[in-house]
Amino acid sequence: MVEGLIERLQVHSKADEPAIAFSQLGDQLFNELASRIATRHDYRLLFEHTLKLELFQQIQSAAAAYVSACLNSPIVLPEAEMLERLLEAKGTLPNYMGTGLLMPKREHILEFNAFQKSVANAFRQLGANDLIEAVDLPVNLRIVYGTMNPDALRLPFTSTKRHSDVWAGVVPDATVVVLPLFGDINNITIEAGEMPREMELPTMRVMSDFNEGKDIPMVVSYDNARLQHGTMYFNDARGLHQTVRRVSDGVRISVDFRFRRKFNEAYRAMVPPSSGGVETDMSVPYEDWLKVGTDTLIVFDESVEEARARKTNLGSVPLYTRGYRTVPLF
């Protein structure tokens, strides 16, 4: 009996070897990023970087100008009034999607470019420029309300469900960045953690719905990773996370994007090719990403009225912005 148990354990161990090798190499690459960027690294798949105050204030100011433009305000609104106006406008903004994304339109081009530029300016100062290969363009400004639209619960890839972004089609070697900007980050927040190491590799695939992964356990919860305004959170794509609402009112505003790093070809090769998913690769070369707002302009051709007319089918709501072009400024 003992010999049979040992034999089964050995077979199981051999079967897990590629998955463990994938997990260990992923940790090595993630730790290298953290060694360059992190001001705090308490968890295996999550680290933090607290921005210099002046950099954070630049992003806040640019984000407030962009949100104010979306609210048709002729001036940049103070934070309290901006949040109040967002609560009043809930469900009526034509460029607000069920996924929480505030999508820029033709009328918001200048404000959004300033916002994009402010995020890139802060990111380039983190100390890992030589490791970054490509970054999502554009970055995403996300507005999350305490009360969720019941219709949004029908979305297969709503962030309220625990998930890895890979399940929606994000590349497995991505790093997810979240920066809280305004609002009730304590009660309208994100919780993160880890699945078992041996499950990371086999679950790096596209799923039809985040519910397809609902039985994958979160064996380590990052309970003390409390989101704070002004701190960037870097989460490996292998990590699990979800949006959590502890209040029925209120709103939070954050920016998020993903990037891929250089020198990880062996890691990428470990994951079998996967197709489908609602996500497409939104990344551009890092050098091009840094130029937006300085040497190039990102342009959105769809108008607010065109977006209003098109906003009819909730099931077709994209998770990330598409449909832009970049033009040289000089």
Side-chain angles (χ1 to χ4, degrees):
M1 179 180 296
V2 174
E3 292 178 354
L5 176 60
I6 293 174
E7 184 178 344
R8 288 197 298 275
L9 288 173
Q10 289 174 336
V11 171
H12 179 70
S13 176
K14 290 180 180 179
D16 285 343
E17 283 179 2
I20 298 302
F22 172 79
S23 181
Q24 291 175 340
L25 180 54
D27 288 359
Q28 178 182 331
L29 294 167
F30 192 66
N31 288 339
E32 184 181 11
L33 276 175
S35 70
R36 299 283 198 92
I37 298 173
T39 53
R40 185 171 180 174
H41 188 191
D42 294 339
Y43 301 100
R44 185 168 69 89
L45 301 180
L46 178 74
F47 65 82
E48 306 172 16
H49 177 94
T50 301
L51 290 175
K52 295 177 182 177
L53 181 59
E54 60 269 24
L55 293 177
F56 179 57
Q57 289 175 338
Q58 287 174 4
I59 297 173
Q60 276 191 311
S61 297
Y66 168 53
V67 174
S68 298
C70 293
L71 290 167
N72 295 317
S73 172
I75 62 170
V76 178
L77 298 168
E79 178 178 356
E81 185 177 353
M82 178 177 64
L83 297 177
E84 182 179 351
R85 291 272 299 271
L86 284 172
L87 288 169
E88 293 172 354
K90 183 181 178 183
T92 65
L93 288 175
N95 61 322
Y96 178 74
M97 314 311 291
T99 54
L101 183 64
L102 191 66
M103 300 178 73
K105 299 302 172 186
R106 183 187 306 169
E107 292 85 348
H108 316 131
I109 287 174
L110 294 181
E111 292 85 359
F112 188 85
N113 273 270
F115 172 56
Q116 172 78 38
K117 178 183 175 181
S118 70
V119 176
N121 181 50
F123 191 77
R124 79 159 78 221
Q125 297 188 42
L126 299 187
N129 290 308
D130 59 318
L131 293 181
I132 309 301
E133 178 177 289
V135 190
D136 279 358
L137 183 70
V139 297
N140 307 293
L141 189 131
R142 204 170 297 279
I143 298 172
V144 182
Y145 290 95
T147 300
M148 187 176 184
N149 184 340
D151 290 336
L153 291 172
R154 299 201 304 266
L155 291 172
F157 300 105
T158 174
S159 65
T160 303
K161 304 173 184 178
R162 190 171 64 200
H163 65 281
S164 159
D165 286 0
V166 177
W167 302 352
V170 173
V171 291
D173 64 304
T175 299
V176 183
V177 183
V178 176
L179 172 63
L181 296 176
F182 303 105
D184 190 357
I185 193 60
N186 293 319
N187 294 306
I188 308 171
T189 188
I190 300 170
E191 292 183 351
E194 303 170 17
M195 68 180 79
R197 276 182 176 271
E198 65 272 13
M199 299 186 75
E200 290 174 1
L201 179 58
T203 57
M204 293 294 98
R205 60 180 181 83
V206 172
M207 297 184 180
S208 60
D209 189 304
F210 283 156
N211 283 337
E212 193 177 332
K214 66 181 180 180
D215 293 328
I216 297 170
M218 184 184 283
V219 294
V220 178
S221 296
Y222 298 166
D223 294 330
N224 294 321
R226 308 286 183 181
L227 299 191
Q228 299 179 49
H229 296 136
T231 296
M232 279 184 167
Y233 297 84
F234 293 74
N235 195 190
D236 191 283
R238 293 170 292 153
L240 296 173
H241 58 277
Q242 66 187 114
T243 298
V244 174
R245 295 168 171 85
R246 302 190 182 105
V247 294
S248 58
D249 57 358
V251 61
R252 74 163 166 89
I253 302 175
S254 58
V255 55
D256 63 79
F257 58 94
R258 283 80 54 97
F259 69 89
R260 305 180 78 176
R261 56 157 294 166
K262 297 176 181 176
F263 315 122
N264 66 348
E265 289 77 9
Y267 183 65
R268 294 181 188 180
M270 287 179 163
V271 183
S274 184
S275 60
V278 296
E279 294 281 10
T280 57
D281 187 359
M282 296 294 297
S283 64
V284 299
Y286 185 41
E287 296 76 12
D288 295 341
W289 188 78
L290 291 174
K291 292 177 181 177
V292 175
T294 55
D295 298 316
T296 62
L297 199 68
I298 185 168
V299 176
F300 307 92
D301 291 312
E302 186 176 60
S303 69
V304 169
E305 285 308 311
E306 288 169 338
R308 192 190 308 277
R310 185 176 55 83
K311 192 177 178 182
T312 56
N313 184 3
L314 183 67
S316 67
V317 172
L319 290 183
Y320 290 86
T321 305
R322 296 171 175 81
Y324 69 82
R325 54 194 172 91
T326 56
V327 296
L329 282 174
F330 306 103

